C-alpha cells in the first residue's frame, strides 16, 4: 500500500523509509505530490501529528502517516517540546534552499538551548516521537504510537551526523551523542525507531499490512533495544517530562 508522509523533512523521510522496511508499504513524501505542510498549533505531540496526518490524507485522498517529535528537557519543564523545530527565532533568507534553511534553524535552536541550560546541573532530557497513521482523513480509529529516547544534555555539540538537537544529546549507554551514532544503531534504538516498532505492530494488527515488502528505498528491520520506552499509545499522550 502507499502511505503518504506528512513531512517535507528529507532526513526524516530517509529514517522512516528504513524503519518501514519489511512491510508491504511504499512511503511517499507529501512534497512529491505537491502537498504543503500543515499548521502545528497544538500543545501536544499527538494533536500535532493527528492534524498533519489528516491534512495529508485529505489532500492525497488516501492513507497518511505523520510524525511529531521533539526534545523534552526536564529542567525546562519539558521545553522545547512541540516547538523544538522553531525554538529560536531565525529570519528566513530569501532564496535559501530548504535544507540550508533547516541547518540554519538547527544551529540557532541548539545555541538557544545551550544558553538556557548554562550553569544547570540537572541535564536529563529525552527525544520524543509520536506517530499517527490514518486510512483516510475522516478515519475514526487513528493508529498512535510513541517512543522516547532518554539521555543527558551536553555542554557543547558533539558529532557531525543527524540533524536537529542530535549533537547535544548524549546517550549514556552508548557513550556517544546522537550525532555520533551510526545509522544502523540509530535505526535500532532512537525515539523514531521505538515509535515505529509500535506502529508496525499496529499496522499489521489493525490494517492487515503484510510483511515481505521492501518499502521504498529499502532499509533495515526494526529491532528495539531492551529497556527503551516503546509501544502503541493506549490513550492520550502522557504529560511531558
Amino acid at each position: 500500500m502507499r502511505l503518504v508522509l506528512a513531512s517535507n523533512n528529507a532526513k526524516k523521510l530517509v529514517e522512516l523509509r528504513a524503519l518501514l522496511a519489511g512491510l508491504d508499504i511504499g512511503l511517499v513524501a507529501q512534497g512529491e505530490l505537491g502537498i504543503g505542510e500543515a499548521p502545528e498549533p497544538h500543545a501536544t505531540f499527538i494533536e500535532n501529528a493527528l492534524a498533519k496526518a489528516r491534512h495529508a490524507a485529505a489532500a492525497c485522498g488516501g492513507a497518511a502517516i505523520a510524525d511529531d517529535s521533539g526534545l523534552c528537557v526536564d529542567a525546562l519543564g519539558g521545553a522545547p517540546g512541540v516547538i523544538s523545530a522553531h525554538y529560536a527565532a531565525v529570519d528566513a533568507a530569501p532564496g535559501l534552499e530548504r535544507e540550508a534553511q533547516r541547518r540554519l534553524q538547527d544551529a540557532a535552536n541548539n545555541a538557544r538551548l545551550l544558553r538556557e541550560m548554562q550553569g544547570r546541573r540537572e541535564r536529563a532530557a529525552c527525544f520524543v516521537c509520536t506517530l499517527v497513521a490514518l486510512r483516510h482523513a475522516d478515519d475514526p480509529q487513528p493508529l498512535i504510537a510513541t517512543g522516547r529516547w532518554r539521555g543527558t544534555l551536553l555542554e557543547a555539540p558533539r558529532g557531525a551526523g543527524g540533524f536537529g538537537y542530535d549533537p547535544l544529546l548524549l546517550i549514556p549507554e552508548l557513550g556517544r551523542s546522537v550525532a555520533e551514532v551510526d545509522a544502523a544503531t540509530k535505526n535500532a534504538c532512537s525515539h523514531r525507531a521505538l515509535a515505529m516498532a509500535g506502529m508496525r505492530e499496529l499496522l499489521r494488527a489493525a490494517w492487515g499490512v503484510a510483511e515481505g515488502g521492501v518499502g521504498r528505498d529499502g532499509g533495515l528491520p526494526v529491532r528495539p533495544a531492551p529497556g527503551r520506552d516503546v509501544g502503541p499509545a493506549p490513550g492520550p499522550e502522557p504529560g511531558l517530562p
Side-chain angles (χ1 to χ4, degrees):
M1 68 176 291
R2 184 181 78 166
L3 196 59
V4 174
L5 174 63
S7 174
N8 291 321
N9 185 319
K11 291 188 177 181
K12 185 179 293 187
L13 175 65
V14 169
E15 281 191 23
L16 290 177
R17 278 178 173 165
L19 294 171
L20 279 169
L23 292 181
D24 189 16
I25 285 176
L27 191 66
V28 180
Q30 63 182 8
E32 296 178 38
L33 306 177
I35 302 171
E37 295 190 354
E40 303 175 44
H42 303 292
T44 67
F45 294 115
I46 280 182
E47 290 172 297
N48 281 331
L50 182 57
K52 290 191 284 187
R54 280 181 175 152
H55 171 80
C60 75
I65 187 169
D67 152 286
D68 199 49
S69 56
L71 179 72
C72 295
V73 180
D74 289 7
L76 301 179
V82 296
I83 63 166
S84 291
H86 303 284
Y87 193 43
V90 173
D91 293 329
L96 193 63
E97 181 261 339
R98 178 185 293 273
E99 285 307 308
Q101 183 67 38
R102 262 187 217 285
R103 290 192 293 271
L104 188 65
Q105 181 71 63
D106 287 349
N109 291 340
N110 287 347
R112 178 182 173 183
L113 181 60
L114 288 174
R115 289 195 302 270
E116 297 275 352
M117 293 299 296
Q118 193 168 10
R120 294 179 185 264
R121 297 183 64 184
E122 174 53 60
R123 305 187 73 84
C126 67
F127 279 132
V128 178
C129 171
T130 294
L131 290 167
V132 173
L134 300 171
R135 293 167 295 183
H136 51 81
D138 298 318
D139 190 348
Q141 299 183 80
L143 306 184
I144 303 171
T146 294
R148 294 174 179 80
W149 201 13
R150 303 182 188 279
T152 303
L153 285 179
L154 294 162
E155 295 184 354
R158 272 176 43 181
F163 58 95
Y165 299 94
D166 287 0
L168 295 185
L169 190 70
L170 176 74
I171 306 302
E173 300 93 333
L174 301 177
R176 288 174 282 171
S177 76
V178 176
E180 295 172 316
V181 173
D182 62 90
T185 301
K186 190 174 184 181
N187 284 348
C189 57
S190 75
H191 55 310
R192 204 161 281 119
L194 299 174
M196 186 57 80
M199 180 58 69
R200 288 170 68 99
E201 179 183 331
L202 290 169
L203 288 167
R204 288 192 297 265
W207 290 9
V209 174
E211 295 278 0
V214 295
R216 186 167 174 177
D217 281 6
L220 300 170
V222 176
R223 297 184 179 87
R228 303 296 194 275
D229 297 334
V230 60
E237 174 80 349
L240 299 178

